[in-house]
Amino acid sequence: MKQRRLVERGVGMTTENLLVEVTDQVAVVKMNRPKVLNALNSEVLKEIEATMTQLENSPEVRVIVLTGEGKAFVAGADIGEMKDLSPQEARDFSNLGHRVFIQIHTLEVPVIAALNGFTLGGGLELALACDFRYASEEAKLGFPEASLGIITGFGGTQFAARAFGLSRTKELIYTGEMITAHQALNCGLVNRVFPHDDLMAETMAVARRIIRNSPEAISLAKEAIVKGYDLGLREALELESDYFSACFALGAHRDRMKAFLENRKERKK
Ligand code: HXC
């Protein structure tokens, strides 16, 4: 019990560059390098990876919210670390990002990005690896990489095209323009925009809404959506049937369906 309480407060999970707090089954992971607008270097990426593994293996964590300390969610990969990379080191850095972002993309529990400010380059790629995104009215989003002579290397060319289409992705990457939260909402990059001070409360309310549902159903749905997206329609529907059937094998539906039917009966009395 004592240990459980420590886990719930996120003790032992907070790292050099990440603040982790678990409250009522929601883990809030806050990028915490505000002096460099939470820029992602290799160390931070590895900390995110280790933290995600730890949270995924904590039965008391049902939803993860990623956000940033200060005026940025993440203002990109760390330019200081990138500037002297050899081609091989650049590939390794890109591969590390892919490994961590695919981990988030396929994590058993939903991961919501709460974009509190600048969400640029690798920061936007991180946000796109999450299940969905909410933004503060103050958030600014974009892919400024081309202005630095590079391209998105943490999955942006692929995640963005999948999230909101090829032509908008090309426009954002070629122009490097920063768009507002409301523009991001219009093109489907974020699901909702909130006044800055309401962002976390609104995000937490959605997390609590998710928690009311069956954790088994949510993780099976996530896996079916993620895996099915890469398949042709018929194969994807076959996969959906596999996952639908898996719900019945797990049996988590029984109590919930019984409760629904009993409740209807009660109401009719
Ligand atoms: C390292 C960064 C940084 C970054 C900001 N900082 N972004 N350091 N890497 N990505 C640092 C600044 O150098 C500065 O340090 C401090 O954070 C505060 O930033 P300012 O520029 O003073 O803030 P402001 O004037 O408000 O401008 C905010 C900003 C600007 C518009 C977001 O910082 C900016 O353009 N940052 C770079 C954004 C970017 O190009 N991101 C893409 C990176 S490439 P000091 O020491 O001066 O206080 C990328 C590739 C991903 O992400 C794929 C890799 C494989």
Side-chain angles (χ1 to χ4, degrees):
M1 185 59 200
K2 193 173 167 209
Q3 203 176 3
R4 189 183 150 88
R5 249 188 268 125
L6 288 176
V7 170
E8 279 172 359
R9 293 206 322 261
V11 174
M13 291 195 202
T14 286
T15 62
E16 183 80 20
N17 300 296
L18 301 175
L19 294 171
V20 183
E21 201 168 338
V22 184
T23 315
D24 297 334
Q25 302 185 294
V26 183
V28 176
V29 178
K30 198 181 252 194
M31 260 70 68
N32 189 29
R33 290 183 88 204
K35 281 192 183 146
V36 286
L37 307 190
N38 301 323
L40 297 172
N41 60 18
S42 308
E43 192 183 317
V44 181
L45 287 169
K46 287 177 189 159
E47 286 178 22
I48 294 174
E49 183 177 43
T51 300
M52 291 295 151
T53 303
Q54 214 175 342
L55 293 173
E56 190 178 36
N57 291 325
S58 306
E60 63 275 19
V61 172
R62 297 274 315 278
V63 176
I64 299 172
V65 175
L66 269 188
T67 191
E69 177 66 30
K71 65 179 180 179
F73 173 70
V74 169
D78 193 318
I79 298 169
E81 177 170 333
M82 280 188 299
K83 69 178 186 349
D84 294 323
L85 294 181
S86 68
Q88 183 55 51
E89 286 165 340
R91 180 184 292 277
D92 293 344
F93 189 49
S94 167
N95 284 339
L96 171 62
H98 290 158
R99 192 174 85 207
V100 179
F101 293 4
I102 281 289
Q103 178 197 26
I104 292 172
H105 185 58
T106 56
L107 211 71
E108 269 190 33
V109 294
V111 185
I112 307 173
L115 310 180
N116 53 298
F118 290 113
T119 303
L120 301 174
L124 182 49
E125 296 174 286
L126 172 59
L128 286 166
C130 297
D131 289 275
F132 49 84
R133 293 149 288 286
Y134 294 143
S136 143
E137 275 172 348
E138 290 173 18
K140 295 267 189 327
L141 298 85
F143 286 125
E145 280 89 344
S147 72
L148 297 168
I150 57 173
I151 69 166
T152 61
F154 289 156
T157 55
Q158 307 309 311
F159 278 122
R162 282 167 167 77
F164 57 97
L166 273 183
S167 94
R168 194 69 182 119
T169 298
K170 287 176 178 170
E171 189 182 16
L172 269 189
I173 289 179
Y174 300 170
T175 62
E177 69 170 336
M178 260 194 246
I179 61 172
T180 64
H182 284 289
Q183 287 173 305
L185 179 66
N186 285 340
C187 66
L189 231 177
V190 302
N191 285 16
R192 291 166 74 181
V193 175
F194 299 110
H196 186 74
D197 291 341
D198 297 343
L199 175 67
M200 284 315 287
E202 295 281 1
T203 305
M204 294 302 270
V206 173
R208 282 193 291 275
R209 179 77 188 78
I210 293 172
I211 286 171
R212 295 216 298 264
N213 292 325
S214 151
E216 293 85 357
I218 289 164
S219 73
L220 287 169
K222 178 166 174 175
E223 208 170 311
I225 293 166
V226 169
K227 286 195 177 160
Y229 202 85
D230 291 332
L231 303 174
L233 181 62
R234 281 174 201 286
E235 220 186 324
L237 291 177
E238 192 68 35
L239 180 100
E240 184 185 64
S241 298
D242 290 344
Y243 282 84
F244 185 69
S245 160
C247 297
F248 288 78
L250 278 174
H253 66 295
R254 274 190 212 101
D255 288 349
R256 287 175 179 264
M257 288 192 180
K258 190 163 159 251
F260 172 84
L261 294 171
E262 278 169 5
N263 184 269
R264 306 294 296 181
K265 241 190 250 165
E266 279 302 309
R267 279 206 268 163
K268 277 188 189 149
K269 272 185 193 167

